[in-house]
């Protein structure tokens, strides 16, 4: 969503590189470009005015960090001001002291409240809660049925005593839902209310009646981030009519310019608490102002990436993989498939790569990336036998042709996959071998964790001193003959040991009793 704004701001900061200090003209030009970028992103005019005023004051004031160049100074100031506009600190849900905690969702029709109810329920369940969804949208056709299907997909129970489609009293359903939750020990209740195509008195009154009846602990205003400037007027109307405690932004994965996200906190005074970033039920996350500001400025969001990785990668599998490394076992296609599944569980690879710093410069490459490549690779691996997965080196031409036919891919595609896997296998092997076969140097608990031993270093040094045999048969025969002549000319035994007559004592070798008679013969 913030791609255009991010590109504009990044280009503005690039123009400051190479400057020794910030002049007043530099500040004016930078602030002017930032203002244009924000207005083009549909940010509300009062927000743009306050934002740029703060940047100008700080950039021209005494706030100068000695070790930062002008571009870094401006980025630092803009980042801090963006965090402030987006809310400053992450706002967490307030849970009731005596369950159930009641969360009421409100907003316009089409904002995605019903789908968001399922996402919120799934998120709550993943955090150890036992949520219940209550269907109070009884006006919109099939809204109750949609919530039931969404709840089933999310693995969350739904309370829907009325069929909807204009039948039933939403206030009564909300009250009965709270009673049902208390009887069956649900600790969180999510009330899905009706929306309208516009702000009107009837919708407002119904929302007010439900709020009065159930006394929710949190009222979340669900806002479509793609409606631009209208988002501000809608949010203000709900704030003045119903009141809400926080905002949930939906459709942040769309191609809108992101003005709603930057405007709603400043205009309404209420924080953005959650963000829906995709169509899947897992595309839902708490809203972190500092992380969102970093994404906008192309500084990445590594913390969110780490959190997703921690959820996706199984600790037992990671421990098993570490034990496999310690046992010096080879990396197989089964391991590769397991790692591939873990990466896919993290979500969209494009989205993950977009969380890395500086990836805005590679946006075209990211957009061109086809995530279905994962499906093709998985099909190839699953078309192999267990033996072929454990020992890919046995994959001859006929086996590759069979795998290609089994997964619907070409033989060249199978060859390419095996070649890339071979490179990955070599990399994993080199990590295990570390220094001179000692494993991962400096990593405790892994082979070679303390570095290569003296014996290993000596073995490596000795192997480096040895000259390999020639591939030419005639030359190799001549080398072997010359080596035999040198050995015959040297005093000593047939085993290449020094001659006892030259002061060598065979007892120093701790050989078996009577074996010394064979020395020097």
């Amino acid at each position: 969503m913030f791609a255009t704004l991010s590109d504009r701001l990044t280009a503005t900061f690039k123009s400051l590189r190479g400057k020794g200090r910030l002049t007043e003209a530099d500040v004016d030009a930078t602030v002017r470009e930032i203002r244009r970028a924000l207005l083009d992103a549909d940010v509300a005019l009062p927000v743009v005015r306050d934002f740029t005023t703060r940047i100008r004051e700080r950039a021209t004031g005494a706030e100068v960090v000695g070790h930062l160049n002008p571009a870094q100074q401006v980025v630092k100031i803009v980042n801090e001001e963006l965090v402030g506009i987006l809310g400053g600190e992450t706002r967490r849900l307030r849970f009731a002291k005596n369950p159930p905690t009641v969360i009421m969702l409100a907003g316009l029709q089409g904002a995605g409240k019903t789908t968001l109810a399922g996402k919120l329920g799934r998120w709550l369940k993943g955090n150890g809660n036992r949520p219940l969804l209550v269907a109070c949208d009884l006006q919109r056709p099939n809204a109750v049925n949609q919530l039931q299907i969404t709840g089933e997909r999310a693995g969350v129970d739904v309370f829907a005593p009325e069929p909807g489609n204009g039948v039933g009293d939403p206030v009564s359903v909300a009250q009965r839902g709270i009673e049902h939750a208390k009887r069956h020990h649900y600790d969180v209740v999510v009330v899905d209310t009706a929306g309208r195509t516009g702000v009107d008195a009837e919708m407002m009154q119904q929302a007010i009646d439900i709020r009065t009846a159930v006394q929710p602990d949190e009222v979340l205003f669900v806002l479509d981030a793609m409606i631009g400037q209208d988002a501000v007027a809608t949010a203000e109307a709900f704030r003045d009519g119903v009141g809400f405690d926080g905002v949930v932004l939906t459709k942040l994965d769309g191609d809108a310019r992101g003005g709603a996200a930057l405007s709603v906190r400043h205009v309404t005074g209420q924080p953005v608490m959650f963000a829906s970033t995709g169509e899947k039920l897992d595309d839902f996350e708490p809203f972190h102002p500092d992380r969102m500001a970093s994404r906008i400025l192309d500084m990445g969001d590594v913390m969110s990436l780490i959190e997703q990785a921690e959820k996706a990668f199984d600790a037992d599998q990671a421990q098993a993989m570490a034990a496999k490394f310690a046992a010096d076992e080879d990396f197989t296609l089964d391991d590769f498939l397991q790692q591939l599944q873990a990466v896919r569980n993290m979500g969209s690879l494009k989205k993950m790569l977009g969380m890395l710093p500086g990836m805005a410069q590679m946006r075209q490459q990211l957009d061109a990336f086809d995530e279905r490549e994962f499906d093709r690779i998985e099909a190839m691996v699953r078309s192999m036998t267990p033996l072929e997965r454990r020992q890919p080196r046995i994959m001859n031409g006929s086996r590759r042709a069979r795998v290609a036919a089994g997964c619907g891919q070409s033989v060249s595609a199978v060859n390419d996959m095996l070649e890339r896997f071979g490179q990955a296998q070599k990399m994993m092997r080199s990590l295990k071998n570390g220094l001179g076969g000692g494993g991962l140097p400096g990593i405790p608990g892994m082979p070679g964790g303390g570095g290569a031993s003296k014996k290993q270093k000596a073995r490596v040094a000795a192997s480096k001193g040895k000259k390999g045999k020639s591939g030419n048969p005639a030359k190799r025969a001549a080398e072997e003959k010359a080596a035999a002549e040198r050995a015959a000319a040297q005093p000593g035994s047939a085993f290449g040991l020094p001659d006892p007559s030259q002061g060598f004592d065979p007892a120093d070798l701790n050989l078996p009793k009577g074996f010394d008679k064979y020395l020097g013969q």
Side-chain angles (χ1 to χ4, degrees), residues 147 227 404:
L147 185 64
I227 64 176

Side-chain angles (χ1 to χ4, degrees), residues 499-515:
D499 194 317
S501 63
Q502 303 297 323
F504 168 70
D505 186 1
D508 292 339
L509 296 177
N510 295 322
L511 297 173
K513 185 176 180 180
F515 193 82

Side-chain angles (χ1 to χ4, degrees), residues 102 132-139 144 147-148 158-181 183 189-194 206 209-211 213-214:
V102 181
L132 173 70
L133 307 183
V134 179
C136 293
D137 184 356
L138 306 180
Q139 279 74 34
V144 174
L147 185 64
Q148 290 173 325
V158 178
F159 179 76
E162 299 291 348
N165 299 320
V167 178
D169 179 10
V171 178
S172 174
V173 170
Q175 292 174 323
R176 290 154 60 189
I178 303 300
E179 295 172 359
H180 178 83
R183 287 196 305 269
V189 177
V190 179
V191 180
D192 179 31
T193 63
Q206 186 182 106
D209 292 343
I210 293 175
R211 177 169 187 168
V214 301

Side-chain angles (χ1 to χ4, degrees), residues 19 124 167 210 253 255 302 471 493:
K19 294 183 179 293
L124 288 166
V167 178
I210 293 175
D253 58 323
D255 57 359
V302 179
S493 71

